[in-house]
Amino acid sequence: MSIGVPNRSSRVRQLIRGPHPEAVPALVGRACALVGLLDVAAGVFPRFRHSRMHTLAEVLPGALGPFAAALSLSAGVLLLLLAHGLKRSKRRAWRAAVALLPAGAVAQFTYRHSLVGALISVALLVPLLRHRDQFAALPDPRSRWRALANFVLMGAGSLGLGLVIVSAHPGRLVGDPSLADRISHVLYGLFGFEGPVDYQGNTSWTVAFSLGALGLLTAITTIYLAFRPEHPAARLTEEDEVRLRALLDKHGRRDSLGHFALRRDKAVVFSPSGKAAVTYRVVSGVMLASGDPIGDVEAWPGAIERFMDEAKAHSWTPAVMGCSETGGEVWTRETGLDALELGDEAVVDVADFSLAGRAMRNVRQMVKRIERAGYETRVRRVRDIGEGELERIRLAAEDWRGTDTERGFSMALGRIGDPTDGDCLIATAHKADAEPGPYGDLKAILHFVPWGPDGASLDLMRRDRSADPGMNELLIVASLQAAPKFDVARVSLNFAMFRSALARGEKIGAGPVLRAWRGLLVFLSRWFQIESLYKFNAKFQPRWEPRFVVYRASGDLPRIGFAAMQAEGFVNLALPLPRFLRRRTSAARACAHAVAERTMADRDVRAA
């Protein structure tokens, strides 16, 4: 289901303006990438340099003097590194390309007296200078970890390309070196030393200079990223959080995802009037917002305009994950973007919920069985829980997470028990007669955030792996039954991605395309719990509210999807700690908590 097709007037304005403003940077970036690939090929493969493409390759930037192979390889790698930044209209990439191309032209004319080579550099330089106003994007948020990532990626790429260089001269090899010898030769060459592989004639010099150039590029780029001024990612400031809470107090009941805008790893832009805001996070060049804008609907266009201006200033790809149908209509109307149905949110009306009836038989039987096993439940506001018990709940939730990183972005708050979140609800399951664990009789946790004055939205579900199955069902039923005591009339449960496709695909009469799409979703559920989450939500007979993804072009969807998976924690590109360190850290925290509890108990005894 798609909504918000751009209106005719916006298309007419695009035709009058001519080509899309991103067309020139994209073409220049592709040209630099093509030249870079040709330079790399000319520096690596001797047959390429002496083929029909020889006359073209010899005049490309970087193919200079007696060290043509090494210089061609260096220029090719640098142009490939710059190509992505040029496609995204980055100002610093433009400056680097403008400095590199004239240097290549001067070298071509000075050392090789090649007028054609200079003209090729000038031909690439002309569109850069002519359209310099289109290369004005600001830098992305960054940190020192980029240097480590560059070292790992460039090192691996240099090792792989080095193996190709070493093996690209089979007719001049002395003997038959093994793979281990070739890898050793590459590693030595990257550091500027001679390896165990030998060649006839001047080929050994060509290979040595090429490997040395790769090692030098890896070192230079890593050092630059490590010592350049840090530009940290934006975070939610205390002032921003106060302003967002004021907007949620007035308009929080409109969107069940509103409270998740208070995640402190998000940034925010406000409308000029300050009556609306959009929170976002930048992931892999995608400016990712979640849910609807916060605040007065009449002020949404102003906040959306600020959001799009920020995306344009940094050349980020704008996208919105999980907005409602109303939000999708406003986004598409104000920006000309498009929207696609992503899934459905399960919402339970407390007044209509009951365990009676055939449809609720499975849930009813499971809850009664768990209650007979000796489990009891407690539903409380965060403000009503003591600090000691709250700390134990925090530690248990972290220990029972099951993944190395905290998952969630659009429907997760990322914290429990913060003093500013006193209105949040926590449902806990306990078993007094069980063998006491590191967290006492605590066996499962559900955390809800406020959804306006009369609603609650599910944040996280955690349980002890040794507890009986059905803990989540038990706590959801307990929360729904206790909701009237807290003046909660609606409860938002999990988000079911592609729910409509799963529901329609299993019905009689579904077509082959729909059945194939459902089969793919079921297959992907082995890793992403798509089908199991839908079936879990359906147990409670909710009403389904559609949620949408807003995007600029169909070609951006794979990139947006990958960024969303990173934001939600399904894909983690950071290097995790070794498992034994994580276990030691968890055990240390549990030990520290036990010591703190004993200290408080001794203090109470002395006071008595």
Side-chain angles (χ1 to χ4, degrees), residues 348-355 360 363 476-477 480-481 540:
V348 178
D349 294 315
V350 174
D352 299 332
F353 177 77
S354 174
L355 287 177
M360 299 295 295
V363 176
I476 287 179
V477 170
L480 292 172
Q481 291 176 340
F540 303 97

Side-chain angles (χ1 to χ4, degrees), residues 378-380 425-429 444-448 475-476 478-479:
R378 303 169 192 167
V379 182
R380 293 162 289 175
L425 287 171
I426 292 183
T428 54
I445 304 165
L446 258 62
H447 186 256
F448 296 86
L475 287 181
I476 287 179
S479 302

Side-chain angles (χ1 to χ4, degrees), residues 16-77:
I16 293 175
R17 292 173 183 170
H20 196 277
E22 296 182 356
V24 172
L27 289 175
V28 171
R30 294 190 185 99
C32 283
L34 178 60
V35 172
L37 288 174
L38 292 174
D39 275 351
V40 171
V44 173
F45 302 105
R47 293 182 180 179
F48 178 81
R49 293 201 304 272
H50 299 289
S51 66
R52 295 179 181 179
M53 294 293 293
H54 170 70
T55 55
L56 176 62
E58 282 294 302
V59 297
L60 290 174
L64 313 174
F67 310 115
L71 292 176
S72 178
L73 188 65
S74 301
V77 173

Side-chain angles (χ1 to χ4, degrees), residues 165-317:
I165 294 173
V166 170
S167 305
H169 310 270
R172 293 185 174 272
L173 279 171
V174 176
D176 186 18
S178 63
L179 178 61
D181 291 335
R182 299 185 188 204
I183 294 177
S184 299
H185 191 84
V186 172
L187 293 176
Y188 277 109
L190 292 177
F191 288 95
F193 300 101
E194 188 69 24
V197 180
D198 197 9
Y199 299 87
Q200 300 174 359
N202 295 327
T203 304
S204 59
W205 286 100
T206 303
V207 173
F209 277 109
S210 299
L211 294 177
L214 286 176
L216 186 63
L217 285 177
T218 302
I220 289 176
T221 54
T222 302
I223 292 173
Y224 167 73
L225 292 174
F227 290 97
R228 67 178 177 173
E230 189 171 10
H231 180 201
R235 291 291 184 268
L236 202 66
T237 65
E238 293 184 6
E239 181 183 356
D240 292 337
E241 186 172 342
V242 170
R243 296 177 65 184
L244 285 175
R245 288 185 182 275
L247 293 178
L248 288 172
D249 289 340
K250 295 180 180 179
H251 310 280
R253 74 184 318 272
R254 185 177 297 278
D255 186 15
S256 63
L257 307 188
H259 199 85
F260 300 122
L262 299 176
R263 285 182 65 104
R264 287 164 186 159
D265 56 358
K266 290 183 178 181
V268 60
V269 289
F270 290 91
S271 65
S273 64
K275 295 181 179 180
V278 175
T279 58
Y280 66 91
R281 187 196 299 174
V282 179
V283 183
S284 298
V286 177
M287 191 176 182
L288 202 62
S290 60
D292 293 342
I294 307 300
D296 189 357
V297 177
E298 298 295 329
W300 283 8
I304 292 174
E305 183 179 0
R306 289 281 180 89
F307 176 88
M308 298 300 293
D309 289 343
E310 190 77 7
K312 183 179 180 181
H314 293 83
S315 190
W316 293 329
T317 300

Side-chain angles (χ1 to χ4, degrees), residues 83-148:
H84 180 66
L86 291 174
K87 288 181 181 179
R88 297 183 57 203
S89 306
K90 291 298 182 181
R91 190 67 177 178
R92 291 186 176 180
W94 178 86
R95 291 172 180 171
V98 167
L100 178 64
L101 291 175
V106 171
Q108 288 281 351
F109 188 77
T110 302
Y111 289 95
R112 296 190 71 252
H113 306 287
S114 174
L115 183 60
V116 178
L119 290 177
I120 289 180
S121 297
V122 172
L124 288 175
L125 184 63
V126 167
L128 284 174
L129 295 176
R130 181 180 179 183
H131 301 281
R132 59 183 177 274
D133 57 329
Q134 297 187 22
F135 295 88
L138 300 175
D140 291 343
R142 57 180 180 261
S143 66
R144 305 299 186 192
W145 290 103
R146 296 290 294 274
L148 178 60

